[in-house]
Amino acid sequence: MSLSPRSIAFILAFLISLITTSFLAFVEGVSKGMLFVSAIASFISSFFLILYTVDILVFREVNNMYRTIHKLKMKDFSMTPRKKLIQESNPMKTINDEIFVYVTKKQKEIDELKKLELFRREFLADVSHEFKTPIFAAQGFIHTLLDGAMEDENVRERFLKKAAKNLDSLDVLVKDLLVLSQMETGDIKMNLLPMDMRLLTNNIFSRLENIAQDRGVSLKVKPDDIPEVWVKADADRIEQVMLNLIENAVKYGNEGGKVIVHFNEGKKYVEIAVRDNGPGIPHEHLNRIFERFYRVDKSRSKEIGGTGLGLAIVKHILNAHNTKIAVMSKPDKGTTFSFKLEKAFTQTLIEKTENEALSPVSP
Ligand SMILES: Nc1ncnc2c1ncn2[C@@H]1O[C@H](COP(=O)(O)OP(=O)(O)OP(=O)(O)O)[C@@H](O)[C@H]1O
Ligand SMILES: [Mg+2]
């Protein structure tokens, strides 16, 4: 049970008046009327005295807490104004509750900061590791050449090519990291304009034709007779998204497998899905593949040439389009990455297609 200053004052005043009257009752010559008056007088005077003292104490304590709270810059602390606190039946309890809420909130913030610190340390370790590999390799080739291998023409060309390849991957890594940091600081603004996803997919298929052929992977669009898919998006960034998703499906899917890009048009949005029938991604990795430098099969992905930044960039680009990437994967069945984009000129396009269908075809 929580006691308010008023109830405390009442109980104490009652006890004081009871004791005083009891003692007075033993004094000779004191009439009942006198006893009654002294009981009332002692009750009223002690009630107000105690109430005043308790209130002052509470008030002071509350003020002290207030000052401490302000010192700690508790800006986001939702506290009732001071006057109101004093009028509360139990202001100490109220302020105690609020401090508890605040402390819990702060604890959460501390946990979050600790997590971020750990993430920062891991990220730094990952970056240095990723940089080290191509730099050491290129350095090794160039030093071997300088130490005399340059004389042999065959070796010279081979080593220079290898050094160049390593420096190229370093270049890709730096560019990817730059894009990621620009996305995070919000330096890159999305230039949302109508673009045709169907055309973009065709272009990417042509760019990946060689890799797909090497692995015997077929690239398809569904529905395959869809002429255009107009969305409102940043064409360059969405190209980066589609390139990574389709390239991943080819690289990490099965040899001789299938990669299908599905377009599912809704009223306001188009859902785009990139599906493969590869080995899939184990459930425990699904949440982590969007982290920077995260690869499921580290050695295999590296062998294929990935830095593990692709999906982190994809996630940021789609977030900047106010949409999200979803992933579904079943072991040995395949993986599907999907996202939605806002349709561009929904009505105009329908009218345009209708008009085209009605207009006479010139020979
Ligand atoms: N379709 C897929 N099937 C199986 N695994 C996949 C698929 N897509 C991505 N992964 C796994 O997720 C990891 C992260 O992919 P991500 O695109 O971020 O990096 P990457 O392809 O290794 O490198 P980068 O894209 O930077 O060249 C990959 O290394 C791979 O292990
Ligand atoms: Mg990738």
Side-chain angles (χ1 to χ4, degrees), residues 40 63 106 172 193 256 294 297:
I40 294 291
N63 271 345
K106 279 284 152 201
V172 172
L193 288 171
Y294 196 83
D297 181 346

Side-chain angles (χ1 to χ4, degrees), residues 262-279:
H262 289 260
F263 294 114
N264 191 1
E265 288 196 61
K267 255 189 178 175
K268 278 188 165 178
Y269 296 92
V270 181
E271 192 188 22
I272 300 127
V274 179
R275 179 171 298 169
D276 65 64
N277 61 347

